[in-house]
Amino acid sequence: MENNKEYYTPEIDELFVGYEYEVIMEGNPKTWVKMIVDSPRLDYLLNVKNFANGSVEYSIPECIRTKYLDKQDIEQQGWEFNLLGKDDWFKGQIHKDTPYEELHYPFELWFRLDKYWLGFYKAIHKIVILEKGDFPNGQTIRFNGLCKSKNELSKLMKDYLNIKTK
């Protein structure tokens, strides 16, 4: 499969009902078609390898891909781009040879949704979500970690943080 920095092959544990992905369709030319997981049974998506000892191994074929999270995906979840900032939320986790680009370290993109702020480091697929308010330090860290796709952001907002999308 192609080596593309905008897409990746997801792991089985990333998939859930409602998960958006693309699958390549044979033809001339081959085209990527958007799909959504519509059943908790994932066997229709998986490669199955049976071993002589009776064990079974499942994997996702490389003809399935997911787009990495980007600025547009965040905005589609209702977040409003606010500023390009410099803050060391993930200091030390970025390879020193990472080339400078607007969307890469040492800058992150900051978005706002109601009382929440989201800092996005595209180069390492990490986000931080802060809840601003009248706290001793004025903010509470609600999430700080890996978020590779809009699927994960949507699930995180809905199931973990209970943040309503617009």
Side-chain angles (χ1 to χ4, degrees):
M1 244 348 84
E2 66 188 288
N3 182 7
N4 189 325
K5 293 181 182 179
E6 300 299 315
Y7 294 87
Y8 68 99
T9 301
E11 299 294 327
I12 295 170
D13 62 353
E14 292 179 56
L15 304 178
F16 56 89
V17 173
Y19 187 94
E20 294 181 31
Y21 64 96
E22 294 181 5
V23 64
I24 198 160
M25 296 301 208
E26 296 297 326
N28 192 9
K30 293 180 180 179
T31 55
W32 289 96
V33 177
K34 292 184 187 243
M35 307 287 280
I36 296 176
V37 174
D38 59 0
S39 168
R41 289 192 51 143
L42 299 173
D43 49 338
Y44 67 97
L45 285 175
L46 305 176
N47 285 332
V48 180
K49 185 175 183 180
N50 294 301
F51 294 93
N53 67 1
S55 64
V56 179
E57 181 180 283
Y58 298 95
S59 64
I60 295 180
E62 289 185 4
C63 65
I64 292 176
R65 71 181 188 179
T66 299
K67 185 170 78 73
Y68 278 114
L69 186 66
D70 63 17
K71 181 178 182 282
Q72 181 181 2
D73 294 332
I74 296 169
E75 290 174 329
Q76 287 175 348
Q77 292 292 325
W79 296 88
E80 183 178 324
F81 174 72
N82 192 272
L83 59 96
L84 180 64
K86 182 176 181 180
D87 201 353
D88 290 331
W89 281 95
F90 301 107
K91 185 176 182 178
Q93 297 182 27
I94 301 171
H95 192 272
K96 65 180 179 182
D97 296 329
T98 299
Y100 169 78
E101 293 180 26
E102 180 178 301
L103 298 181
H104 292 85
Y105 184 83
F107 297 97
E108 73 275 358
L109 301 178
W110 282 96
F111 300 83
R112 187 172 184 180
L113 178 63
D114 299 325
K115 62 183 177 179
Y116 300 99
W117 286 82
L118 183 150
F120 172 54
Y121 285 80
K122 183 176 182 176
I124 57 172
H125 313 292
K126 290 199 174 186
I127 64 171
V128 60
I129 296 178
L130 307 173
E131 183 177 354
K132 298 284 188 170
D134 297 326
F135 304 103
N137 295 326
Q139 66 187 18
T140 300
I141 299 171
R142 297 291 307 275
F143 180 81
N144 181 348
L146 189 66
C147 187
K148 295 192 302 188
S149 73
K150 69 179 178 181
N151 295 298
E152 293 177 28
L153 178 59
S154 177
K155 190 168 180 67
L156 174 71
M157 289 171 59
K158 179 183 172 205
D159 297 344
Y160 179 69
L161 299 174
N162 200 26
I163 298 174
K164 307 289 186 236
T165 59
K166 300 202 182 249

